């Protein structure tokens, strides 16, 4: 149940801007006497700066030799005299109240051009089927279709296959979730390992037997514990084509909540494993269980050199429409790909599920009789009350006839006389008995069919690619190319409904804490991979490979695999059981710690000027991390930097391939903070209070913010001091807007606080680029105005709650089934609202009982100055069956169109009118 436990931090940005993360690390060397001894007068003379660009490593190293001497001199000089560097002017407040910064005038590479946000308006690719048009065609009426409840009656003429026989490809499969009801390891131990152990024996018994496998996470685990004989047997099955690896990702990813970075990463992890251990590359994609399908996936699969793919969980009304128009197989085109070079052949399964009752044909009551695991005496049976019968000489003619009837009906939904019939279910084929039951009984049916020419059918076991190749061959085209007359489609398959109004959109927001943790891990993985590569390349050139912890690579692999595992469609979706969630959480936290270690080790090596004295100490990390998490489900605690009169070093890493100018905030233990750049300039610092509660500030911890210019993919070092003389440190101006009279709030020296009773008047904060208006009553954002734009845009944030239906099905981890329109979130007392303004940033923090929202703007040039950071921290653990929603109400004249994203990879264009028909619940609240 998604609402039981939610504590989260969500970050967001407006104005088509991406927010990247930085890694902050603090030098510990000063507090480590042992290290100080071993490294002589280290670190002051040894810290250097590297603006890392792979191709310039050598040259930069040379430059750094010069820089370091310069730094050393200037640092010493400045510490002695306390002089402000020549370019350092104090920020000042202009007459109109806005802060003016001493900007060095160097341009930033990232700036927002008016046209940058227009890309979505560009020409769209030409297709026969635009999903948005399809929505407007459909009535979503859910009429009873007979035996195929969500479809229609299918008829055929008996002589239709006389000229060209039906080719039936039965594809045995087993759907293994890498975590859901049980953890990944428990599934492996209880079920999955047995599937592989039986597979090597049972497939080898008859070369006509085939199987497909998709989750490399499980396969790799089995392989790594199998003896060489089993490995050899398995390799033989794969090389002979009896066993096919489909998709070949680490998992079968979710496609709605996953970011494309992680979708690609888990695909690479699986593919590299296959390449390295088996020398095979997957040809076909197989995604039977993800809850809706993104257009990002066909693109990624195409780029991974696959030629065909299969999907299953599509809205039942769309399936019905596509079946009726024989459009279940189509070329999937990217909306933006006018050249159509990334088209992907896609097969959409027509019926309700991927289990056997819903794959042989339209009638589940009949198909179930051909799931031979459900033979009488088994633990599973047929809910349609007619059990399977084992195939004997006596009944084979009748049984084959019944099955062929289903095959023929299903075939009528497709354009070729080639038919795909998946045979499997969740965690199937774990017992030897089931292998015998399925393969022997089906082989008898096939043998009978194939030896009776009057049936005009050729049936066999097959892999997925066997099927696709037969389709291409029947159409006379090369694999991956569009057969004549097959439709071209663009769009995606969200939101998914499997029946009635059961829209699977609840999982988009289930367990947001872990969805956030996933993104944190992804940015750390990227950072760690970049820094590790730079450090190793550098160590090799310097001949220091022996001293560098090259073995950190295993931490990277570990993290890739754990992040990959978390992209599974029951992991990042939030639909797994509690114990499984904890298992994922522990894996992610472990990987986060590992990645921070990789980053620290690489940064250590890279910032040392004199590599000769470089030593790696396993137990004594050179740098401290920027934050820590006590447990997998706790929020990060930022590291406090204890200032002294001698410098503490702060190393910042920019994982983006552009130079960045951004505001960095660290926690310090002294209000007398002074920050120097590597070349000795004193930087303006905005000093703000650290708040213990809404109205109580800490007397020991302060926030120090300064503007940092960071090289692309590079590290920068800053020096922080506790200095009686800190001329460039400016205090934030804090105003507390509190409900009711009589509460007197006093700031703690040296940070003054003003307070006032709330009133209904809107109030504003501003930077050099933006002015934000806030509601006096709610303390929430109401308007945005850009500097060069006289027009104020209404962007009103509201918080609302949804209840769930009183009877039958309720909202949960998967479904969103609200009890009606959203109701405004309300609490008896007005919130305490804190307004903090200073030279580098301004922010408004509204404290409500169940959430706290911070809207911050930065007074910097470029993209960072044009974006809003919106952070919402919520805790609704005392609520049951309630959803908290944030709504943005704007006066943007966009008509019916609405843009959102798919996997952070592409823009999705939506139109609420078509939504309201396809998923009434999503827009049930029309306000
Ligand atoms: C305030 O004054 C500064 C400097 O005089 C100017 O650059 C800025 O655009 C002004 N801001 C507003 C909101 O008018
Ligand atoms: C991509 O697949 C084709 C067709 O199977 C194959 O011939 C080609 O070598 C593959 N390309 C790469 C880069 O693996």
């Amino acid at each position: 149940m998604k609402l039981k436990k939610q504590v989260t931090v969500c970050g967001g940005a407006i104005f088509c801007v991406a927010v990247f993360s930085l890694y902050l690390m603090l030098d510990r060397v000063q507090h480590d006497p042992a290290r100080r001894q071993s490294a002589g007068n280290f670190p002051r003379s040894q810290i250097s700066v590297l603006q890392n660009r792979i191709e310039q490593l050598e040259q930069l190293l040379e430059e750094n030799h010069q820089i370091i001497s310069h730094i050393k001199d200037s640092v010493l000089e400045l510490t002695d005299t306390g002089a402000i560097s020549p370019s350092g002017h104090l920020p000042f407040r202009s007459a109109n109240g806005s802060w003016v910064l001493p900007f060095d005038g160097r341009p930033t590479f990232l700036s927002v051009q008016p046209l940058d946000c227009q890309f979505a308006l560009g020409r769209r690719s030409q297709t026969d089927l635009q999903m948005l048009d399809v929505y407007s065609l459909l009535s979503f009426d859910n009429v009873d279709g007979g035996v195929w409840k969500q479809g229609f009656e299918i008829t055929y003429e008996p002589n239709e296959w006389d000229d060209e026989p039906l080719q039936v490809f039965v594809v045995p499969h087993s759907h293994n979730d890498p975590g859901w009801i049980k953890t990944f390891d428990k599934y492996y131990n209880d079920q999955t390992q047995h599937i592989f152990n039986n597979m090597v024996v049972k497939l080898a018994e008859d070369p006509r037997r085939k199987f497909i496998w998709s989750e490399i996470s499980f396969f790799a685990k089995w392989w790594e514990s199998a003896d060489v004989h089993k490995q050899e047997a398995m390799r033989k099955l794969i090389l002979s084509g009896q066993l096919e690896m489909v998709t070949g990702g680490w998992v079968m990813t979710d496609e709605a909540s996953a970011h494309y970075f992680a979708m690609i990463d888990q695909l690479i992890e699986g593919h590299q494993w296959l390449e390295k251990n088996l020398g095979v590359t997957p040809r076909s994609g197989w995604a039977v269980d993800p809850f809706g399908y993104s257009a990002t996936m066909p693109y990624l699969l195409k780029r991974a050199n696959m030629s065909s793919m299969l999907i299953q969980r599509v809205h039942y009304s769309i399936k019905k429409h596509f079946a009726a128009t024989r459009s279940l197989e189509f070329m999937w085109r990217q909306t933006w790909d006018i050249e159509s070079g990334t088209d992907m052949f896609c097969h959409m399964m027509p019926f309700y599920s991927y289990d056997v009752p819903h794959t042989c044909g339209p009638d589940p009551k009949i198909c179930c009789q051909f799931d031979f695991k459900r033979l009488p005496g088994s633990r599973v049976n047929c809910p349609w009350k007619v059990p399977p019968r084992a195939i004997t000489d006596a009944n084979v003619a009748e049984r084959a006839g019944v099955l062929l009837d289903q095959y023929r009906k299903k075939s009528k939904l497709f354009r070729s006389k080639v038919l795909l019939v998946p045979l499997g279910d969740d965690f199937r084929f774990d017992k030897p008995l089931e292998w015998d039951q399925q393969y022997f009984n089906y082989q008898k049916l096939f043998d009978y069919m194939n030896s009776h020419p009057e049936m005009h059918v050729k049936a066999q076991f097959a892999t997925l690619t066997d099927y696709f190749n037969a389709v291409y061959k029947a159409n006379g085209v090369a694999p991956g190319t569009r057969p004549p007359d097959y439709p071209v489609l663009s769009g995606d398959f969200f939101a998914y409904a499997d029946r009635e109004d059961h829209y699977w959109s609840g999982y988009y927001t289930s367990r947001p804490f872990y969805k956030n943790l996933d993104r944190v891990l992804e940015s750390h993985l990227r950072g760690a991979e970049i820094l590790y590569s730079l450090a190793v390349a550098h160590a090799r050139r310097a001949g220091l490979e022996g001293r560098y912890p090259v073995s950190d690579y295993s931490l990277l692999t570990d993290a890739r695999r754990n992040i990959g595992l978390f992209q599974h469609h029951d992991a990042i979706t939030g639909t797994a059981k509690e114990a499984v969630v904890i298992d994922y959480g522990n894996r992610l936290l472990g990987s986060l710690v590992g990645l921070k270690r990789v980053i620290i080790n690489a940064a250590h090596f890279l910032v040392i000027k004199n590599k000769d004295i470089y030593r790696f100490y396993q137990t004594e990390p050179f740098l401290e991390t920027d934050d820590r998490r006590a447990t997998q489900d706790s929020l990060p605690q930022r590291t406090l930097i204890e200032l002294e009169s001698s410098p503490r070093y702060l190393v910042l890493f920019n994982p983006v391939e552009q130079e960045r100018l951004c505001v960095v905030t660290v926690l310090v233990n002294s209000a007398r903070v002074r920050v120097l750049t590597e070349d000795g300039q004193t930087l303006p610092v905005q000093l703000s209070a650290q708040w213990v509660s809404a109205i109580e500030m800490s007397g020991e911890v302060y926030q120090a913010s300064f503007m940092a210019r960071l090289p692309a993919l590079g590290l920068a070092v800053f020096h922080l001091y506790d200095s009686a003389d800190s001329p460039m440190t400016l205090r934030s101006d804090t105003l507390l807007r509190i409900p009711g009279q009589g509460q007197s709030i006093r700031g703690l020296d040296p940070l003054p606080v003003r307070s006032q009773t709330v009133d209904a008047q809107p109030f504003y904060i501003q930077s050099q680029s933006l002015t934000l208006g806030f509601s006096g009553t709610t303390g929430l954002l109401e308007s945005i105005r850009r500097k060069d734009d006289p027009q104020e845009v209404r962007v009103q944030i509201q918080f609302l709650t949804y209840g769930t239906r009183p009877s039958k099905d309720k909202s949960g981890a998967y479904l969103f089934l609200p009890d009606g329109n959203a109701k405004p979130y309300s609490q008896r007392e007005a919130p305490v609202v804190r307004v903090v303004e200073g030279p580098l940033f301004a922010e408004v923090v509204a404290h409500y009982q169940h959430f706290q929202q911070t809207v911050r703007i930065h007074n910097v040039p470029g993209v960072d100055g044009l974006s809003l950071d919106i952070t919402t921290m919520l805790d609704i653990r005392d609520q049951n069956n309630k959803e908290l929603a944030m709504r943005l109400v704007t006066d943007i004249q966009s008509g019916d169109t609405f843009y959102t994203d798919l996997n952070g990879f592409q823009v999705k264009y939506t139109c609420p009118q078509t939504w309201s028909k396809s998923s009434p619940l999503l827009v049930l609240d029309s306000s």
Side-chain angles (χ1 to χ4, degrees), residues 7 513-514 517 589 628-637:
V7 188
F513 175 87
Y514 293 96
L517 182 57
L589 179 62
R628 260 168 228 285
R629 293 172 188 244
T631 59
Q632 55 88 19
D633 59 353
S634 51
L635 291 168
Q637 295 298 316

Side-chain angles (χ1 to χ4, degrees), residues 99 131 507 632 754 908:
W99 279 96
M131 283 313 295
Y507 82 91
Q632 55 88 19
R754 292 176 293 127
K908 172 185 159 92

Side-chain angles (χ1 to χ4, degrees), residues 185-204:
D185 285 335
K186 186 138 176 58
Y187 272 138
Y188 177 79
N189 291 328
D190 291 358
Q191 280 134 297
T192 311
Q193 62 164 325
H194 305 302
I195 299 174
F196 292 124
N197 287 331
N198 290 316
M199 189 186 296
V200 287
V201 177
K202 292 295 175 184
L203 284 185

Side-chain angles (χ1 to χ4, degrees), residues 327-388:
S327 306
L328 290 162
E329 289 185 329
F330 50 86
M331 297 307 286
W332 197 342
R333 182 169 294 174
Q334 301 299 319
T335 44
W336 41 265
D337 186 6
I338 296 158
E339 305 298 318
S340 72
T342 58
D343 286 11
M344 184 71 172
F345 187 86
C346 182
H347 171 104
M348 181 195 296
M349 288 170 61
F351 307 121
Y352 174 76
S353 164
Y354 54 82
D355 61 9
V356 184
H358 298 93
T359 48
C360 94
D363 191 346
K365 181 174 172 177
I366 290 177
C367 288
C368 195
Q369 298 168 41
F370 294 89
D371 183 358
F372 297 102
K373 188 192 165 86
R374 304 191 202 220
L375 281 166
S378 162
R379 289 203 353 238
V380 281
N381 56 21
C382 282
W384 296 269
K385 305 261 164 55
V386 186

Side-chain angles (χ1 to χ4, degrees), residues 326-459:
R326 295 197 308 154
S327 306
L328 290 162
E329 289 185 329
F330 50 86
M331 297 307 286
W332 197 342
R333 182 169 294 174
Q334 301 299 319
T335 44
W336 41 265
D337 186 6
I338 296 158
E339 305 298 318
S340 72
T342 58
D343 286 11
M344 184 71 172
F345 187 86
C346 182
H347 171 104
M348 181 195 296
M349 288 170 61
F351 307 121
Y352 174 76
S353 164
Y354 54 82
D355 61 9
V356 184
H358 298 93
T359 48
C360 94
D363 191 346
K365 181 174 172 177
I366 290 177
C367 288
C368 195
Q369 298 168 41
F370 294 89
D371 183 358
F372 297 102
K373 188 192 165 86
R374 304 191 202 220
L375 281 166
S378 162
R379 289 203 353 238
V380 281
N381 56 21
C382 282
W384 296 269
K385 305 261 164 55
V386 186
R389 279 176 283 153
I391 305 303
T392 61
D393 288 348
N395 70 12
V396 67
E398 183 267 343
R399 294 280 83 192
V402 170
L403 185 58
L404 180 60
D405 175 60
Q406 289 298 307
Y407 286 168
R408 287 178 160 190
K409 284 176 173 155
K410 182 174 180 181
S411 165
K412 290 291 288 179
L413 308 178
F414 294 89
R415 291 178 190 234
S416 77
K417 289 186 175 164
V418 184
L419 183 69
L420 174 67
V421 180
L423 174 71
D425 205 338
D426 290 1
F427 294 97
R428 282 302 189 87
F429 296 95
D430 61 334
K431 304 235 165 33
L433 177 64
E434 184 182 1
W435 289 83
D436 292 340
Q437 287 170 328
Q438 306 288 26
Y439 283 94
F440 281 121
N441 283 303
Y442 268 95
Q443 193 60 57
K444 281 182 205 160
L445 288 163
F446 297 163
D447 289 346
Y448 183 87
M449 290 178 188
N450 297 341
S451 59
H452 285 75
E454 74 282 7
M455 295 183 93
H456 300 288
V457 61
K458 185 170 177 300

